[in-house]
Amino acid sequence: MSITARSTPNIALIKYWGNRNNDLRLPAADSLSMTLNSPYVDVTVEHAEVLRVHSTSKQLTSKDIERFAKHLELMKMYLVVDSIPNSLNIQIDSHIPSGIGLASSAAVFSAIAKAVAGLIDQNLTDEQVSILARLGSGSASRSILGGFVAMKNVSEGMDGAVAEQIADEKHWNLHDIVIIPSGDEKKVGSTEGHAGAWTSPHFATRLEAIQKYRQQECIDAILNKDFEKLQHISEEDALDMHHCMETQNPALKYLSEDTHHILAQVRELREREHVPVLFTMDAGPTVHLICTDEAKDTISGFAHSQKNCKVFEASVGPGAHCI
Ligand code: DP6
C-alpha cells in the first residue's frame, strides 16, 4: 500500500529562529505563520526494507539522504509502536519552481509526516502529525494545518512543541506576493543558522519579546483582522530576526542591497497610497509582501515593476492533506 500527501510552504509572521534542542528541533520560542495555497509538493510513501528516497526535481545529496534517515529514525522513536517495521520508500514530486526563494523543506517534511500518518493508520491528531513534521524541519510543523497557525512550546521532550490552528483559511483571504531578486542562492541553510542563534547578544531579548507580547499580539491581530497591527508586529519581528542573524557568530547576512531597495519602495508606496501591505523576509533576500484582497492588484503591479526580479503569487491555503 502507498499513501500520497500534498503540502505547501508557509510564511512566518512571527519567525522561528534558534532551538532549545537542535536534534529534536524544539524551538527556542513560539512562532506563527500563514499556510500558502501554492506551490505544492506531493510525497508518496510505502513500506520498504531499506530507506529509499527519490525526488523528481532534485538530485539528492548524501547530506539530504542523511536528513531523511534521521527524520525517519526520530519518527519511529516518537511513534514507539512498530508501525514502521523497517523502512520507507519515499517519492518526492515537487512543483515548487526552483530559484523562487521559497524553501521546499516545510512542504516536503509536512507532506512526509502526513503521508506516514496515513500509512500507519492510527488516527493521529493534527497535533501529533505536526510533531512528526517538526522532527524533519521546524517550520514544517506549521504546514500541517491550514490558515493561520502557531507553533507553541508546550513541554520538554519530543512532543514539546506542537502546531495549533489560530484561524482557518476562510477567516481572512490574505495574499503573499513574493519578489525574488536575482542573485546568489543562500549559502548557509536554516538548520546550520538555527544552531548559531544563541551566539547573538540580541537573541535573549528577542525571545523575551516574543514570549511577552509579540506572539499574542500577532494572534490578536489575526483574529480581529487588524492589518495595521499585524503589519507593525510582524515587521518588527522579521527585522529583529535579521538583526539577530547578522550579529550571531558566524554572522549571517541574508538580506541583500536589492532587498533593502525593495523595502524602501514598499515604505514609500505605503506612505503615498496607504496600501495595506506588510513585508517579511526569511533566510534569503526574497521579499514577501503580505496584503489584503483590496491591495492585491496594486501590490502585484508593484512587484512586476521591479527590475531583474522574479515574482510568485500565492494566497492563504488549506495545509497538508492526503490525496
Ligand atoms: C527563517 O524550518 O527552515 O524561515 O528546522 O532547520 O528546517 P529547519 O529550519 P526551518 O527554519 C525556518 C526559518 C525561517 C523562519 C520561519 O519560517 O519561521
Side-chain angles (χ1 to χ4, degrees), residues 165-211:
Q165 189 176 57
I166 301 302
D168 71 16
E169 70 272 24
K170 292 189 200 77
H171 172 69
W172 201 7
N173 193 27
L174 294 185
H175 307 280
D176 182 7
I177 313 290
V178 190
I179 308 181
I180 308 108
S182 57
D184 288 350
E185 287 276 293
K186 71 176 170 190
K187 289 169 199 82
V188 179
S190 316
T191 305
E192 242 175 295
H194 285 295
W198 294 92
T199 61
S200 163
H202 303 288
F203 192 60
T205 318
R206 166 172 179 75
L207 298 183
E208 204 184 313
I210 294 175
Q211 203 208 339

Side-chain angles (χ1 to χ4, degrees), residues 150-295:
M151 170 152 61
K152 289 193 313 184
N153 272 320
V154 286
S155 63
E156 296 303 315
M158 273 189 139
D159 53 0
V162 299
E164 178 188 62
Q165 189 176 57
I166 301 302
D168 71 16
E169 70 272 24
K170 292 189 200 77
H171 172 69
W172 201 7
N173 193 27
L174 294 185
H175 307 280
D176 182 7
I177 313 290
V178 190
I179 308 181
I180 308 108
S182 57
D184 288 350
E185 287 276 293
K186 71 176 170 190
K187 289 169 199 82
V188 179
S190 316
T191 305
E192 242 175 295
H194 285 295
W198 294 92
T199 61
S200 163
H202 303 288
F203 192 60
T205 318
R206 166 172 179 75
L207 298 183
E208 204 184 313
I210 294 175
Q211 203 208 339
K212 272 204 173 143
Y213 70 94
R214 263 190 218 148
Q215 177 81 351
Q216 192 54 49
E217 282 192 16
C218 194
I219 292 174
D220 294 345
I222 288 164
L223 291 177
N224 297 323
K225 300 187 196 171
D226 182 342
F227 195 87
E228 213 176 309
K229 185 170 180 168
L230 186 66
Q231 178 207 318
H232 173 80
I233 207 76
S234 58
E235 289 184 359
E236 174 184 295
D237 189 71
L239 295 174
D240 181 45
M241 176 183 74
H242 284 279
H243 183 48
C244 286
M245 289 164 154
E246 286 168 16
T247 51
Q248 67 184 60
N249 189 7
L252 297 176
K253 199 166 164 25
Y254 287 118
L255 308 184
S256 65
E257 262 180 42
D258 290 335
T259 314
H260 289 291
H261 184 64
I262 295 166
L263 297 192
Q265 288 181 68
V266 172
R267 288 187 172 110
E268 249 175 58
L269 172 76
R270 209 155 52 187
E271 244 170 56
R272 206 172 53 235
E273 298 183 32
H274 304 288
V275 198
V277 59
L278 67 85
F279 59 76
T280 188
M281 293 76 63
D282 285 337
T286 294
V287 178
H288 293 257
L289 295 180
I290 313 291
C291 66
T292 59
D293 270 339
E294 62 170 304

Side-chain angles (χ1 to χ4, degrees), residues 76-149:
K76 285 167 99 170
M77 272 165 75
Y78 172 66
L79 293 166
V80 185
V81 286
D82 308 327
S83 339
I84 310 174
N86 291 308
S87 198
L88 290 176
N89 195 1
I90 303 177
Q91 165 79 22
I92 302 167
D93 189 6
S94 173
H95 296 264
I96 302 186
S98 64
I100 64 157
L102 277 175
S104 61
S105 61
V108 168
F109 286 98
S110 53
I112 292 177
K114 193 73 188 173
V116 165
L119 189 70
I120 63 171
D121 193 22
Q122 287 188 8
N123 291 322
L124 298 185
T125 61
D126 285 341
E127 200 170 270
Q128 289 172 313
V129 184
S130 81
I131 294 167
L132 287 183
R134 196 204 74 229
L135 295 170
S137 168
S139 59
S141 69
R142 300 183 310 232
S143 278
I144 292 300
L145 293 151
F148 300 87
V149 184

Side-chain angles (χ1 to χ4, degrees), residues 1-5 41-56 58 60 64-73 75 84 87-93 107-116 119 136:
M1 185 183 68
S2 70
I3 298 277
T4 302
V41 171
D42 286 342
V43 169
T44 301
V45 297
E46 59 189 357
H47 291 296
E49 284 308 311
V50 288
L51 176 68
R52 269 196 310 257
V53 192
H54 179 254
S55 166
T56 51
K58 189 181 173 211
L60 297 172
D64 293 327
I65 302 289
E66 260 170 49
R67 184 167 177 177
F68 290 113
K70 173 94 188 292
H71 184 214
L72 176 61
E73 190 190 309
M75 285 196 291
I84 310 174
S87 198
L88 290 176
N89 195 1
I90 303 177
Q91 165 79 22
I92 302 167
D93 189 6
V108 168
F109 286 98
S110 53
I112 292 177
K114 193 73 188 173
V116 165
L119 189 70

